[in-house]
């Protein structure tokens, strides 16, 4: 869809929490490299989306980088992408990349590459005029320590304006807390809504929460979420997107135009949290069918919570599948806190497979697995491994 600017509407993109240089502990070296590249690719796609939809600029509501000490390669590649952006990009320092003495946004590798180009780092709360009639104000973080007085002070200083005014801020809210730690200040939604209601603000672009989230009772305060997935879908349900914002201009009598916000897909990764109860072969067949149907497996991470009582052969099949999925997907692993598989071991499971001393050892493991004691789970796992070894070897 090609929607060019008209005289009554301004369009821009709202993004945040790029966190370039982010690592995920469950990814191996190869998958981490793909993930790092895809996070930057999601950022690069914003330029194409801006052109496609006629967006005049992009606002980034904090945390463009994972921290101020990301590898130089991350900085240089990001700067190269941003230097080629077809529209202005306004970047707000967040709690991950605050504008302190070590700021990555001030380092030579970044600033020299983007100097004179499309990028503006919001260094203070002075209005930035995008074009006549459109301005952006921001509340940059200058250290990792929250300062809850900054935003209220800015809101108090804002007066009436004939321009469209966009606020860019970073932090959790008292309505929807989006931070990972108490070090992220809470933005008081009522204060922001008062500024919107009085006409002092036309849109509030928030960062810190990684899922697209509308805030307050209206349609003018939003978290854009991260442009690429960062957490599992039991926590982060609407990431991998940017927001296309359309603001109607004010009428000569001061009337306010509409605000329309549309999520646009930017990410490729999926982090899936799957739970299942396994009691029979049919249960495992259903789970396997569900997982095999997942597309783009190299960009999908699975964490599985499995419960149930299973025989040794069925547990061995579960382990076989887990090993296969770990190779097919970016990562696949059992979530220990939500996994409790009790192995129901019987002598017949090993009939004609082991005898002699090994048979007596198996019998001991069978008895331990059935005891529900402290080592019963370990005994069940040992039986599963033994079954796989003697029944054709591990694949």
């Amino acid at each position: 869809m090609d929607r060019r600017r008209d005289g009554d509407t301004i369009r821009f993109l709202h993004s945040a929490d790029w966190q370039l240089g982010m690592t995920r502990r469950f990814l191996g070296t190869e998958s981490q490299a793909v993930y790092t590249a895809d996070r930057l690719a999601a950022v690069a796609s914003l330029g194409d989306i801006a052109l496609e939809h006629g967006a005049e600029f992009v606002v980034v509501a904090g945390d463009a980088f994972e921290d101020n000490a990301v590898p130089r390669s991350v900085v240089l590649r990001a700067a190269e992408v941003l230097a080629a952006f077809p529209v202005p990009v306004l970047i707000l320092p967040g709690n991950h990349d605050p504008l302190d003495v070590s700021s990555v946004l001030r380092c030579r590798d970044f600033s020299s590459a983007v100097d004179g180009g499309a990028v503006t780092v919001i260094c203070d709360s002075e209005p930035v005029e995008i074009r006549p009639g459109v301005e952006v104000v921001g509340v940059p973080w200058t250290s990792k320590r929250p300062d809850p007085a900054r935003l209220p002070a800015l809101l108090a200083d804002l007066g009436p304006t004939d321009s469209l005014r966009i606020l860019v801020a970073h932090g959790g809210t008292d309505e929807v807390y989006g931070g990972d730690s108490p070090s992220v200040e809470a933005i008081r939604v009522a204060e922001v809504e008062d500024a919107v209601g009085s006409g002092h603000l036309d849109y509030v672009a928030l960062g810190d929460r990684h899922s697209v989230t509308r805030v307050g009772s209206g349609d003018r305060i939003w978290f854009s979420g991260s442009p690429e997935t960062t957490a599992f879908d039991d926590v982060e349900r609407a990431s991998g997107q940017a927001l296309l914002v359309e603001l109607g201009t004010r009428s000569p009598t001061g009337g306010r135009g509409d605000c329309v916000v549309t999520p646009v897909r930017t990410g490729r990764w999926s982090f899936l949290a799957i739970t299942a109860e396994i009691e029979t072969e049919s249960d495992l067949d259903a789970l396997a069918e569900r997982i095999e149907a997942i597309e783009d497996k190299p960009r999908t991470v699975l964490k599985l919570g499995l419960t149930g009582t299973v025989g040794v052969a069925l547990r061995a099949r579960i382990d076989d599948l887990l090993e296969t999925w770990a190779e097919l997907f970016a990562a696949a692993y059992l979530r220990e806190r939500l996994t409790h598989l009790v192995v129901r071991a019987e002598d017949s499971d090993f009939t004609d497979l082991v005898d002699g001393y090994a048979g007596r050892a198996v019998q001991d493991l069978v008895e331990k697995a059935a005891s529900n004691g402290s080592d019963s789970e370990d005994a069940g796992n040992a039986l599963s491994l033994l079954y796989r070894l003697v029944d054709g070897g591990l694949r």
Side-chain angles (χ1 to χ4, degrees):
M1 180 166 43
D2 187 358
R3 295 188 286 186
R4 303 299 176 187
R5 190 183 82 199
D6 57 54
D8 298 324
T9 303
I10 179 175
R11 298 185 182 95
F12 64 94
L13 293 179
H14 167 196
S15 186
D17 299 286
W18 296 351
Q19 292 185 227
L20 298 174
M22 172 184 280
T23 58
R24 302 282 77 178
R25 59 176 175 76
F26 40 73
L27 293 178
T29 302
E30 180 181 345
S31 292
Q32 179 62 58
V34 176
Y35 184 65
T36 297
D38 282 346
R39 293 197 73 82
L40 185 57
V43 169
S45 74
L46 297 175
D48 296 330
I49 293 168
L51 290 178
E52 178 185 354
H53 293 279
E56 295 185 56
F57 58 96
V58 179
V59 296
V60 185
D63 290 355
F65 290 92
E66 175 69 357
D67 54 56
N68 281 334
V70 292
R72 188 178 184 221
S73 60
V74 172
V75 179
L76 290 172
R77 291 168 187 172
E80 183 174 25
V81 165
L82 289 169
F85 253 56
V87 296
V89 183
L90 292 87
I91 299 178
L92 182 81
N95 65 302
H96 276 256
D97 53 5
L99 204 64
D100 57 20
V101 293
S102 65
S103 173
V104 64
L105 299 170
R106 281 177 167 162
C107 76
R108 185 190 312 171
D109 287 331
F110 185 79
S111 59
S112 62
V114 301
D115 186 39
V119 176
T120 297
V121 177
I122 300 174
C123 298
D124 53 41
S125 294
E126 289 298 313
V128 178
E129 186 178 71
I130 302 299
R131 64 170 172 87
V134 181
E135 67 179 33
V136 173
V137 293
V139 188
W141 284 65
T142 56
S143 76
K144 285 186 173 290
R145 293 179 60 85
D147 182 356
R150 298 172 308 159
L151 180 55
L154 173 60
L155 295 176
D157 287 343
L158 292 178
T161 179
D162 294 328
S163 298
L164 289 176
R165 182 185 283 152
I166 298 149
L167 171 68
V168 188
H170 187 87
T173 71
D174 55 2
E175 179 185 280
V176 181
Y177 181 69
D180 294 325
S181 74
S183 64
V184 179
E185 67 194 59
I187 296 168
R188 290 187 283 275
V189 173
E191 293 179 353
V192 180
E193 286 199 301
D194 285 345
V196 171
S198 66
H200 295 174
L201 294 172
D202 293 279
Y203 182 81
V204 179
L206 297 178
D208 183 61
R209 183 174 174 81
H210 291 187
S211 298
V212 172
T213 307
R214 182 174 64 85
V215 177
S217 58
D219 292 313
R220 294 177 182 266
I221 309 173
W222 288 77
F223 286 101
S224 67
S226 174
E228 186 56 89
T229 303
T230 63
F232 287 91
D233 60 354
D234 56 346
V235 174
E236 187 177 292
R237 295 183 176 86
S239 59
Q241 302 182 88
L243 297 178
L244 174 67
V245 183
E246 301 175 88
L247 292 177
T249 56
R250 301 188 182 195
S251 69
T253 59
R256 171 175 278 177
D258 292 337
C259 175
V260 179
V261 177
T262 306
V264 181
R265 188 71 187 170
T266 54
R268 298 182 62 180
W269 282 69
S270 298
F271 292 179
L272 305 180
I274 297 175
T275 59
E277 183 176 0
I278 307 297
E279 298 281 348
T280 66
E281 290 282 351
S282 296
D283 294 336
L284 186 54
D285 288 342
L287 176 64
E289 183 177 354
R290 176 184 174 186
I291 290 176
E292 289 303 314
I294 295 171
E295 299 180 355
D296 203 358
K297 293 178 177 63
R299 288 183 170 87
T300 302
V301 179
L302 303 178
K303 66 174 181 181
L304 304 170
L306 304 182
T307 60
T309 300
V310 297
V312 171
L314 187 54
R315 176 58 206 250
R317 185 184 165 206
I318 290 172
D319 291 338
D320 269 342
L321 286 171
L322 286 170
E323 287 192 0
T324 299
W325 293 336
E327 296 293 335
L328 281 174
F329 289 83
Y333 61 92
L334 287 178
R335 193 177 184 184
E336 291 185 10
R337 184 173 64 85
L338 296 181
T339 294
H340 184 59
L341 288 169
V342 177
V343 177
R344 181 184 63 251
E346 299 176 359
D347 293 341
S348 58
D349 290 323
F350 292 90
T351 300
D352 299 327
L353 291 180
V354 293
D355 54 18
Y357 177 79
R360 292 193 296 274
V362 165
Q363 182 59 41
D364 289 341
L365 287 173
V366 168
E367 292 174 0
K368 286 185 178 180
S371 70
N372 291 323
S374 59
D375 54 359
S376 60
E377 185 172 351
D378 289 338
N381 291 337
L383 286 170
S384 172
L385 177 60
L386 178 61
Y387 185 91
R388 296 169 69 207
L389 286 169
V390 300
D391 188 28
L394 292 172
R395 286 178 287 276

